[in-house]
Amino acid sequence: MEHAGLLARLRRAALSAGLVFACLGIGGLAGNAAAQGDAPATAKVKIDNGTCLGCHDGTKGKLEVPTAAGKPRALSPVDQQKFEKGVHSQMECVACHADIKDNAEKNNAHQKDAQPLAKVDCASCHQELWEQTVKRGRADDRPRLKAVATNIENYKKSFHARPNPDDKTKPNATCSQCHDTHSFNVPVNKSSTENTQWRLGISERCGSCHSEQLDTYKESVHGKENAKRMLADAATCSDCHFAHKVANTSSEPFKLTVTAQCGNCHGKQFDAYKDTFHGAANTLGYGYTAKCYDCHGSHDIVRVKDPASKVHPDNRLETCGSCHNAKKGLAPVSKGFVSFQPHAEPGNFTRYPEVTAASWGMSGLLIGTFAFFWLHTILWFYREWKDRRERGGGPVHVRVDEVPVALQAKQFQRFTRTWRIAHFTFALSVMVLAITGMPLFYPEVPWAHAVMNFFGGPKVTGLIHRCAATVFASIFFWHLFYVVIKLGRQWRTWKVFGPYSMVPNLKDLQDCIGMFKWFLGQGPRPKIDRWGYWEKFDYWAPFWGVTIIGVSGLIMWMPSFAGQFLPGWVFNVATIFHSEEAFLAVVFLFTVHFFNNHFRPDKFPVDVVMFTGSMPLDEFKKEHPLEYQRLLQSGELEKHLVEPPSKLQMKLSRLLGFTLILIGLTILTLVAIGFFSTGGPSLPAGVVV
């Protein structure tokens, strides 16, 4: 009998798929299951809806039912007109209230000695209907029903489904507390007047339990906007807290998702927030950084120009100080925080002129640098590849007959051990800086979260990043000190534009023009001296790079100190400079620099001169013919010759070279994935803490 009763309930429930959406707030599922062949015709019952509504329409006086506590509970009347317009209108009352049989049976709810009725379980009924749909292989035909089943699972995990602290036998909230199942009908058309009126009532329904929050909400910009315009365009409770996934607001999942809910309405502000350190950490899955509600409030949000706003200029220091304080291990806020723009939009010159100018300037630098050197790289590759093909493959072999036979097996020492160690350390620090910084550039791509987790989260990764930056800067300043000392000793003989100087000169311009002519077959390859113009560019690029990245990094590293002297917009500009210059450095090094030194047809697959310090004489003569001739004619060539590296040294040098190249190309690949996934380098506009 119990099985038959359940089957009857399922058959009646299937007559109206609207039942599914009524109880869970989905709405609009028409009662056409029978027409679609999902269930047979309804079985006959002894009590029809007319009989039920004849008593429960509110005109027969007060109706009560017994409860487990012994105190009768008054029943709310059912408005027949509203019921007939609701999604349950095709349902039989007894399909849900299965305990009601007829008036003649003993222990029936209508008898004086009746036992309390079993609570109607909306979720179980809908879930059973979905399970039957799946068993019949109709799941793909009922996507909205699947959504209901998903909502059921979400509700079971939600804060509302947890046991009530005052009565552990009851959940915090049930379906019927939010939805009037007798008249419920969510308008499907979201642009309709009916849907607007339904949305406008959400806050009141939630406020029946959360009265204090409702009172605060009504005074907020969201509540006032809805009350004033009656368009329901502003946020309601379910927009921020969801309808069936209501979570504890102090839980990590809620913290990670609520800001995205704000972004559904405030798209530009949300995009700008994601470009801050706060937003990037949130996107990566770490909930300890500031969210929208930390700065703007939650139920009490008011417009920024309102003196009561937490982000009003008069209140910003206090608001920022709630997180930036000694208790939380952060330096206290300073006056620069007041004018910082957490939602600055590069491109909106009228409102953010400094940020827009910085963005345009760095974009121009990137475009100009890459346009020139990528064209240079493509043409150089084409020319060397063409020459190799014409001579039948293999590199060019230059004879060094002018050198005594006994010396021809030796190599020319181009870099000392000190410079090789400095190069290796410099390269390693750049790679660590890139791999620890790039996740904040592209927090939405899958690899960013994996990398951040590998290093132990944003805090540990930030520490590693700053340690690598310290090593990077130390090598740079050591080099400056070395150069100054050397110039001090050789100031009388040193020539600013001499062949051994790294200062660009007229010959570099001539060599550059000559190389392009050679690329295009319009002239011979120019003869290069000690340094090529591309090598001088590689040398000077870190000077502006370290200046831009270093100064901007220090500003973000010590925001409270910098904020005592600098306006807030400097932080926005600093982060643009830092991110764009870092992007330029990474892409340039692992494309142009790698090509010039390793990937050219005459160098491929790896050049080990920076690891061994020396190069064969024939290669030296080919790559730097002017220096070779000058040393040969002056008789100084022999002083620069050393024994060739051993086989073990060559193997280790190649292994080291391939390892660094592999790491560099891996970083380049990750950056490329991030770039093409997001449409460009992210511009973090927040202070790194």
Side-chain angles (χ1 to χ4, degrees):
M1 291 297 292
E2 293 179 356
H3 177 73
L6 174 61
L7 182 59
R9 288 172 59 199
L10 290 176
R11 287 175 175 173
R12 294 186 183 98
L15 285 173
S16 176
L19 168 65
V20 178
F21 296 97
C23 291
L24 293 176
I26 301 301
L29 184 60
N32 59 355
Q36 297 176 353
D38 285 347
T42 305
K44 293 182 179 180
V45 294
K46 296 182 180 180
I47 302 179
D48 60 15
N49 286 359
T51 302
C52 296
L53 293 174
C55 293
H56 292 271
D57 62 356
T59 63
K60 300 296 187 297
K62 184 178 180 181
L63 297 178
E64 295 180 338
V65 295
T67 63
K71 184 178 180 180
R73 177 174 63 88
L75 294 176
S76 300
V78 178
D79 188 314
Q80 185 169 351
Q81 290 184 345
K82 292 183 178 180
F83 174 76
E84 290 175 352
K85 294 179 181 180
V87 294
H88 286 155
S89 60
Q90 301 300 315
M91 291 289 299
E92 295 287 352
C93 299
V94 293
C96 294
H97 301 282
D99 289 2
I100 304 297
K101 306 296 183 181
D102 60 43
N103 290 333
E105 294 186 14
K106 292 183 179 180
N107 294 326
N108 182 268
H110 293 118
Q111 302 300 319
K112 293 182 179 181
D113 58 347
Q115 298 298 314
L117 292 174
K119 200 72 174 176
V120 175
D121 188 353
C122 303
S124 295
C125 225
H126 289 84
Q127 200 164 28
E128 289 169 3
L129 179 60
W130 169 245
E131 290 172 356
Q132 292 298 323
T133 302
V134 172
K135 288 180 180 180
R136 291 194 296 269
R138 300 292 302 278
D140 293 338
D141 298 335
R142 308 296 293 276
R144 300 182 70 180
L145 185 57
K146 180 179 180 180
V148 173
T150 302
N151 283 337
I152 292 173
E153 295 302 319
N154 290 335
Y155 166 78
K156 291 179 178 178
K157 300 174 184 177
S158 73
F159 183 76
H160 279 164
R162 297 180 184 178
N164 189 287
D166 298 329
D167 186 352
K168 300 293 185 181
T169 64
K170 298 179 180 179
N172 285 317
T174 62
C175 303
S176 58
Q177 287 177 270
C178 300
H179 307 303
D180 183 348
T181 55
H182 294 117
S183 61
F184 187 70
N185 186 11
V186 177
V188 179
N189 185 358
K190 293 185 178 181
S191 61
S192 65
T193 303
E194 291 78 10
N195 187 275
T196 299
Q197 293 303 312
W198 172 77
R199 273 183 52 82
L200 288 171
I202 290 177
S203 57
E204 293 292 341
R205 286 192 289 274
C206 295
S208 63
C209 292
H210 306 282
S211 57
E212 292 185 9
Q213 290 82 355
L214 175 62
D215 292 340
T216 305
Y217 168 80
K218 286 181 177 180
E219 298 301 318
S220 72
V221 63
H222 293 146
K224 288 183 177 179
E225 186 73 8
N226 282 336
K228 177 181 178 181
R229 301 180 63 194
M230 297 301 290
L231 296 177
D233 289 338
T236 62
C237 304
S238 59
D239 291 322
C240 301
H241 294 278
F242 305 97
H244 302 95
K245 296 170 65 176
V246 176
N248 189 331
T249 55
S250 62
S251 66
E252 196 76 1
F254 179 82
K255 290 181 179 180
L256 292 174
T257 57
V258 67
T259 301
Q261 294 301 103
C262 298
N264 289 334
C265 296
H266 305 281
K268 289 184 178 180
Q269 291 81 0
F270 179 57
D271 290 339
Y273 166 79
K274 289 192 296 182
D275 288 338
T276 67
F277 174 76
H278 294 151
N282 182 78
T283 304
L284 286 167
Y286 300 92
Y288 68 88
T289 58
K291 309 292 185 292
C292 300
Y293 60 82
D294 289 313
C295 301
H296 294 274
S298 52
H299 301 108
D300 57 346
I301 298 174
V302 294
R303 298 189 185 278
V304 176
K305 63 182 180 181
D306 190 324
S309 172
K310 294 177 65 177
V311 290
H312 186 275
D314 294 343
N315 304 324
R316 285 183 189 175
L317 278 180
E318 182 181 355
T319 299
C320 295
S322 63
C323 291
H324 291 263
N325 55 60
K327 291 183 178 180
K328 295 193 176 183
L330 299 175
V333 295
S334 54
K335 62 181 181 180
F337 279 71
V338 174
S339 57
F340 172 67
Q341 298 291 342
H343 299 297
E345 303 169 28
N348 188 344
F349 187 84
T350 302
R351 189 169 182 180
Y352 308 106
E354 300 89 358
V355 174
T356 300
S359 179
W360 287 350
M362 289 304 300
S363 296
L365 177 63
L366 264 67
I367 293 172
T369 302
F370 290 139
F372 177 83
F373 280 100
W374 283 349
L375 176 62
H376 187 275
T377 296
I378 293 170
L379 293 176
W380 197 346
F381 175 85
Y382 168 74
R383 182 64 193 196
E384 286 196 1
W385 171 79
K386 181 180 178 181
D387 288 351
R388 287 171 70 93
R389 187 182 62 176
E390 289 177 353
R391 63 174 176 262
V396 176
H397 292 287
V398 179
R399 299 178 65 87
V400 289
D401 295 339
E402 58 273 18
V403 177
V405 176
L407 300 178
Q408 290 182 10
K410 292 190 175 184
Q411 294 192 357
F412 178 80
Q413 186 176 35
R414 186 162 172 80
F415 301 107
T416 64
R417 179 178 296 177
T418 300
W419 292 114
R420 299 201 304 272
I421 294 175
H423 175 272
F424 172 76
T425 310
F426 203 72
L428 201 60
S429 65
V430 168
M431 291 178 175
V432 173
L433 285 169
I435 197 63
T436 54
M438 285 301 164
L440 292 179
F441 283 24
Y442 306 112
E444 296 181 358
V445 296
W447 60 260
H449 189 266
V451 170
M452 193 63 76
N453 277 346
F454 175 80
F455 285 107
K459 293 181 179 180
V460 178
T461 306
L463 178 62
I464 297 172
H465 188 81
R466 289 188 282 272
C467 288
T470 302
V471 173
F472 180 89
S474 298
I475 298 170
F476 177 77
F477 286 112
W478 166 82
H479 172 73
L480 284 182
F481 179 77
Y482 172 85
V483 169
V484 170
I485 295 297
K486 185 175 181 180
L487 292 180
R489 293 175 179 175
Q490 301 178 354
W491 68 273
R492 291 183 177 179
T493 59
W494 182 70
K495 295 181 179 180
V496 176
F497 297 104
Y500 292 97
S501 172
M502 293 299 294
V503 178
N505 53 39
L506 181 60
K507 186 180 185 310
D508 293 316
L509 178 60
Q510 294 171 344
D511 288 344
C512 182
I513 296 173
M515 284 289 281
F516 274 93
K517 288 182 177 180
W518 175 64
F519 293 157
L520 302 174
Q522 301 300 312
R525 179 172 181 171
K527 295 182 178 181
I528 306 300
D529 209 316
R530 171 73 176 179
W531 306 109
Y533 61 86
W534 61 90
E535 292 173 313
K536 290 184 178 181
F537 183 88
D538 284 354
Y539 175 80
W540 286 106
F543 279 82
W544 88 58
V546 170
T547 301
I548 293 175
I549 294 178
V551 173
S552 60
L554 283 173
I555 290 174
M556 294 187 294
W557 188 349
M558 297 178 288
S560 294
F561 175 77
Q564 297 178 33
F565 315 101
L566 302 173
W569 60 262
V570 172
F571 295 111
N572 298 96
V573 172
T575 48
I576 291 176
F577 282 165
H578 196 77
S579 60
E580 293 279 10
E581 182 60 33
F583 177 82
L584 172 62
V586 168
V587 177
F588 182 88
L589 285 172
F590 302 145
T591 57
V592 178
H593 182 72
F594 272 12
F595 171 82
N596 292 343
N597 295 279
H598 303 293
F599 297 156
R600 286 192 286 127
D602 286 350
K603 292 281 189 179
F604 188 81
V606 61
D607 185 7
V608 296
V609 62
M610 185 48 80
F611 308 115
T612 63
S614 61
M615 59 193 306
L617 272 177
D618 59 342
E619 183 178 350
F620 172 55
K621 181 179 179 180
K622 181 183 70 173
E623 296 288 335
H624 305 278
L626 292 184
E627 183 184 15
Y628 174 83
Q629 289 296 330
R630 184 171 57 254
L631 292 176
L632 183 66
Q633 293 173 4
S634 65
E636 298 178 352
L637 180 61
E638 187 173 350
K639 294 191 306 182
H640 297 277
L641 299 183
V642 295
E643 294 296 328
S646 66
K647 291 184 178 180
L648 178 60
Q649 288 176 318
M650 287 297 294
K651 288 182 179 180
L652 293 176
S653 296
R654 289 194 180 97
L655 178 61
L656 178 59
F658 280 125
T659 301
L660 292 178
I661 289 173
L662 179 61
I663 295 173
L665 292 181
T666 300
I667 295 174
L668 180 65
T669 301
L670 297 179
V671 171
I673 293 172
F675 181 89
F676 291 108
S677 297
T678 61
S682 179
L683 303 176
V687 179
V688 177
V689 294

